[in-house]
């Protein structure tokens, strides 16, 4: 899967890309991330990309020309054009269903805003898929883009060591009946007893049917306690992957 990230601060991604799961996925050519500095498309001799908002008001707005031209150029660098996502608090909210939808694309082009955001004509012309990571305002789209990448790559085949582990994640529709998305069950490891707290006996029993039953029950209980709203919602049938 290929990600193209258009940002004014590409350095923000360097630590993230060189650690852990993503680093391994890149080394194994399962994922590629291409960073592009929007400033490189500025025609201004000072490489300026923003300006004051028409009509007044605080802050600066990112000009449309460098952003639209950057997207057009970057799209042309691979035979397969990318699905354009603009990270903004005004977008549809990222959840596991949307992550699954985004993971059906082979290439995503992520547009990260800063300041007061992009000039409206960026959206009018590019018609991006506008995505928010939550009802709060970040200082820019970069952390949101990393969140999106982090969630999507878990669904790219072979990225996770154990092929089942994303299927069993919280919010995954994988293992539960009636397409319900539940929180994941509690997990335990050694020692069997810690400060008087014991690991549930059934998990030590080796009885896989009993263990699966306990886990499903535990998932249901914690979902009921913590996120009752998830139990009211049933997923529609899964979509076919997009070409
Ligand atoms: N940029 C600023 N805040 C954001 C949010 N909540 N989601 C996505 N992009 C953002």
């Amino acid at each position: 899967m290929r990600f193209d990230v258009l940002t004014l601060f590409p350095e923000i991604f360097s630590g993230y890309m060189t650690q852990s799961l993503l680093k391994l996925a890149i080394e194994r050519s399962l994922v590629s991330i291409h960073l592009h500095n929007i400033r490189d498309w500025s025609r201004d001799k000072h490489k300026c990309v923003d300006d004051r908002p028409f009509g007044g008001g605080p802050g600066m707005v990112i000009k449309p020309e460098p952003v639209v031209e950057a997207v057009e150029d970057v799209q042309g660098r691979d035979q397969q054009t990318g699905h354009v996502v603009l990270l903004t608090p005004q977008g549809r909210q990222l959840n596991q269903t949307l992550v699954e939808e985004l993971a059906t694309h082979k290439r995503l082009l992520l547009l990260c805003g800063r300041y007061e955001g992009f000039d409206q004509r960026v959206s009018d012309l590019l018609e991006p898929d506008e995505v928010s990571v939550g009802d709060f305002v970040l200082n820019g789209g970069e952390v949101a883009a990393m969140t999106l990448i982090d969630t999507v790559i878990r669904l790219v085949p072979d990225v996770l060591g154990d092929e089942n582990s994303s299927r069993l994640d919280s919010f995954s529709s994988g293992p539960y009946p009636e397409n319900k998305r539940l929180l994941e069950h509690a997990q335990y490891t050694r020692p069997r007893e810690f400060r008087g707290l014991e690991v549930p006996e059934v998990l030590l029993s080796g009885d896989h049917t009993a263990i699966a039953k306990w886990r499903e029950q535990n998932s249901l209980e914690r979902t009921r306690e913590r996120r009752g709203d998830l139990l009211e919602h049933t997923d529609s049938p899964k979509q076919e992957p997009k070409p």
Side-chain angles (χ1 to χ4, degrees):
M1 170 139 200
R2 171 175 174 146
F3 296 89
D4 288 273
V5 183
L6 288 88
T7 166
L8 289 167
F9 298 96
E11 297 79 15
I12 292 178
F13 291 82
S14 52
Y16 170 56
M17 285 171 59
T18 52
Q19 301 297 319
S20 187
L21 201 78
L22 179 56
K23 178 186 176 209
L24 283 174
I26 292 171
E27 281 172 4
R28 294 164 65 210
S29 304
L30 300 170
V31 171
S32 67
I33 300 191
H34 304 256
L35 300 172
H36 311 277
N37 192 334
I38 295 170
R39 213 173 284 284
D40 293 342
W41 279 269
S42 169
R43 296 191 181 184
D44 181 287
K45 68 171 184 256
H46 303 294
K47 294 281 171 203
C48 179
V49 288
D50 57 355
D51 209 334
R52 290 189 305 271
F54 278 127
M60 300 291 270
V61 176
I62 303 177
K63 293 149 77 67
E65 310 96 303
V67 182
V68 171
E69 287 172 17
V71 170
E72 285 169 353
D73 271 3
V74 168
Q75 284 284 36
R77 291 183 184 175
D78 194 273
Q79 283 200 323
Q80 179 129 41
T81 54
H83 176 68
V84 182
V85 174
L86 188 154
L87 284 312
T88 162
Q90 301 191 8
R92 47 186 185 140
Q93 190 158 335
L94 192 68
N95 57 23
Q96 198 62 26
T97 311
L98 180 49
V99 170
E100 286 167 13
E101 183 190 318
L102 293 170
T104 64
H105 296 276
K106 292 209 162 58
R107 185 179 178 202
L108 292 176
L109 219 132
L110 308 179
L111 263 178
C112 306
R114 280 268 150 177
Y115 320 121
E116 293 306 307
F118 295 109
D119 181 290
Q120 176 57 35
R121 289 163 292 183
V122 169
S123 285
D124 295 345
L125 289 166
L126 299 174
E127 298 184 339
D129 189 356
E130 300 197 359
V131 172
S132 163
V133 294
D135 287 345
F136 42 78
V137 179
L138 297 164
N139 291 322
E142 288 77 10
V143 171
M146 286 191 266
T147 305
L148 189 152
I149 294 169
D150 220 66
T151 54
V152 168
I153 62 164
R154 295 179 63 76
L155 304 184
V156 171
D158 300 327
V159 164
L160 297 183
D162 175 354
E163 66 162 323
N164 277 328
S165 44
S166 79
R167 202 179 67 87
L168 300 176
D169 279 347
S170 288
F171 311 112
S172 159
S173 62
Y176 305 110
E178 299 165 42
N179 285 339
K180 289 268 185 265
R181 290 173 181 271
L182 304 185
L183 300 183
E184 194 185 347
H185 54 78
Q187 297 276 21
Y188 295 87
T189 185
R190 272 185 275 265
R192 282 173 167 217
E193 190 261 5
F194 179 64
R195 299 194 179 178
L197 298 177
E198 307 244 358
V199 174
E201 198 62 40
V202 60
L203 299 180
L204 311 171
S205 69
D207 178 344
H208 295 294
T209 312
I211 292 171
K213 217 169 142 195
W214 182 88
R215 286 181 164 165
E216 190 175 325
Q217 192 56 34
N218 185 265
S219 265
L220 264 169
E221 273 164 25
R222 34 174 65 199
T223 308
R224 197 171 294 123
E225 275 165 29
R226 300 173 189 208
R227 290 291 307 274
D229 58 301
L230 293 175
L231 293 173
E232 276 145 41
H233 181 81
T234 302
D235 256 19
S236 43
K238 287 220 164 42
Q239 287 180 359
E240 286 303 308
K242 298 198 176 90

